[in-house]
Amino acid sequence: MILNALMFVLGAWSVQQMAYLPSPALLTGIFLAALIMWCTLLHPRCSFQLHKVLRSSIFGLAALLFSIVWTSGFAIWRMNDELPHQWEQKTIVIVGVVASVPEVAERGVRFHFDVERIISKEALVPKHISLNQYVFFKNANNSEQETPPINQFHAGERWQLTVRLKRPHGTANPHGFDFESWALGENIRATGSIKNNAANSKLDDFVWRPSYMVEHLRERIKQRIERVLAHKPYSGVIQALVMGDDKQISADDWQVFLRTGTSHLMSISGLHITMLAGLAFGIVGFFWRRIPTL
């Protein structure tokens, strides 16, 4: 069992080192080969005729092949949900749900958005994107001017928005942050900004789904911390420890944490709480859907 698990991990790692994903035809052949090996080894006659070490090796090879098929198939499925090049920087009207707690950025707010419906004809948009609402823009005189305000976004709300999107792009600097890899891991298949439009409107105050309930709870906790600890220098630290939101920590505090080797605690602690809350809401949602059938 340990050998099979290690070979499965090795298969997933090998796919991550490939420059190109295997073709569907090749994956089908690999899957059939692994399936034949697995079924043959499970046959009673084969179990007595083959040496134990040989059987374990063949099982491990079958686990390796299954891992390659599973990892490649998942990667192909994830990569297919992308923004076409021809729809980059085009004005698109979409309907969806705010899927994360809005984060305050340098020039506005940023949040994840789950696309439910595309209003613009023939437009293709990934299901999971990241949107920015900029507070300022540069006018014709190249000076910053405040945009007309729109309603504040909150986790779990359903909105109709006018956006312009682009595919995730990152720099290729050695040892730098790989934004494209991070976006793929977070299942963010496009990024963009919200454009001021009269059609932008909130359709529902809340969409009842376990993941949105978790984000809504996190936002309420964040608002409570900001309200109680207003103007306190340690407010950002408390938010990081409780929620994993380290955006409000000052640069001076980060230097202290880096020198003392405690910077990782500012994000990891909050993520643990989020994972536990997500698990709890997931269990509740699982049984809630089955109550009418009991």
Side-chain angles (χ1 to χ4, degrees):
M1 183 61 68
I2 296 179
L3 176 62
N4 294 342
L6 292 176
M7 295 299 287
F8 194 91
V9 173
L10 178 61
W13 178 84
S14 63
V15 172
Q16 294 177 350
Q17 311 310 308
M18 297 179 182
Y20 301 96
L21 292 173
S23 63
L26 179 58
L27 290 178
T28 302
I30 295 175
F31 175 76
L32 292 176
L35 186 62
I36 292 173
M37 294 169 59
W38 198 275
C39 294
T40 301
L41 291 174
L42 293 179
H43 196 275
R45 293 184 179 180
C46 180
S47 61
F48 290 104
Q49 294 176 357
L50 292 178
H51 191 273
K52 183 177 180 180
V53 176
L54 181 59
R55 289 185 69 254
S56 299
S57 301
I58 297 177
F59 266 122
L61 179 59
L64 174 68
L65 297 179
F66 276 127
S67 175
I68 292 175
V69 173
W70 182 84
T71 307
S72 300
F74 187 82
I76 291 174
W77 170 75
R78 177 68 67 85
M79 295 293 288
N80 283 338
D81 185 28
E82 63 182 3
L83 180 71
H85 288 283
Q86 61 269 27
W87 283 101
E88 286 192 289
Q89 301 300 340
K90 297 290 184 63
T91 301
I92 305 173
V93 181
I94 57 177
V95 173
V97 181
V98 179
S100 68
V101 178
E103 298 179 358
V104 178
E106 182 179 357
R107 297 173 60 86
V109 295
R110 179 176 58 247
F111 54 87
H112 295 180
F113 194 73
D114 290 345
V115 179
E116 297 180 324
R117 185 159 50 96
I118 304 172
I119 305 298
S120 300
K121 294 183 178 180
E122 300 181 358
L124 297 176
V125 178
K127 291 181 173 57
H128 307 286
I129 61 178
S130 176
L131 293 177
N132 290 277
Q133 180 194 22
Y134 293 109
V135 179
F136 297 93
F137 73 97
K138 290 188 176 181
N139 56 21
N141 298 326
N142 202 31
S143 60
E144 288 190 341
Q145 178 178 339
E146 190 172 357
T147 60
I150 63 174
N151 293 337
Q152 180 69 34
F153 297 102
H154 299 285
E157 294 177 342
R158 177 178 284 119
W159 281 79
Q160 175 177 311
L161 298 173
T162 303
V163 300
R164 286 187 180 177
L165 303 174
K166 63 180 180 179
R167 298 157 67 95
H169 297 289
T171 58
N173 297 333
H175 311 294
F177 177 67
D178 191 343
F179 175 76
E180 293 185 35
S181 176
W182 175 85
L184 181 63
E186 295 292 322
N187 197 19
I188 298 173
R189 306 302 298 131
T191 63
S193 60
I194 301 170
K195 299 302 175 183
N196 294 317
N197 192 298
N200 292 344
S201 60
K202 182 169 64 174
L203 304 181
D204 292 301
D205 290 331
F206 192 74
V207 177
W208 292 95
R209 187 178 300 173
S211 59
Y212 301 151
M213 294 168 64
V214 172
E215 294 301 316
H216 179 72
L217 177 61
R218 294 182 69 240
E219 184 174 8
R220 293 291 297 273
I221 294 174
K222 178 180 180 179
Q223 293 173 346
R224 175 67 175 175
I225 294 174
E226 291 177 343
R227 185 167 58 253
V228 174
L229 301 180
H231 308 297
K232 300 294 184 180
Y234 48 82
S235 175
V237 177
I238 298 300
Q239 291 184 44
L241 291 174
V242 174
M243 301 178 52
D245 181 7
D246 55 12
K247 300 297 187 300
Q248 309 304 317
I249 298 179
S250 65
D252 294 337
D253 288 340
W254 271 124
Q255 291 299 322
V256 174
F257 298 144
L258 290 173
R259 287 196 294 266
T260 57
T262 57
S263 59
H264 65 286
L265 296 177
M266 297 304 107
S267 296
I268 299 300
S269 299
L271 293 179
H272 288 167
I273 297 176
T274 302
M275 290 173 60
L276 292 175
L279 178 61
F281 278 108
I283 294 174
V284 172
F286 175 82
F287 287 104
W288 181 267
R289 293 181 179 180
R290 285 157 177 78
I291 288 177
T293 61
L294 295 178

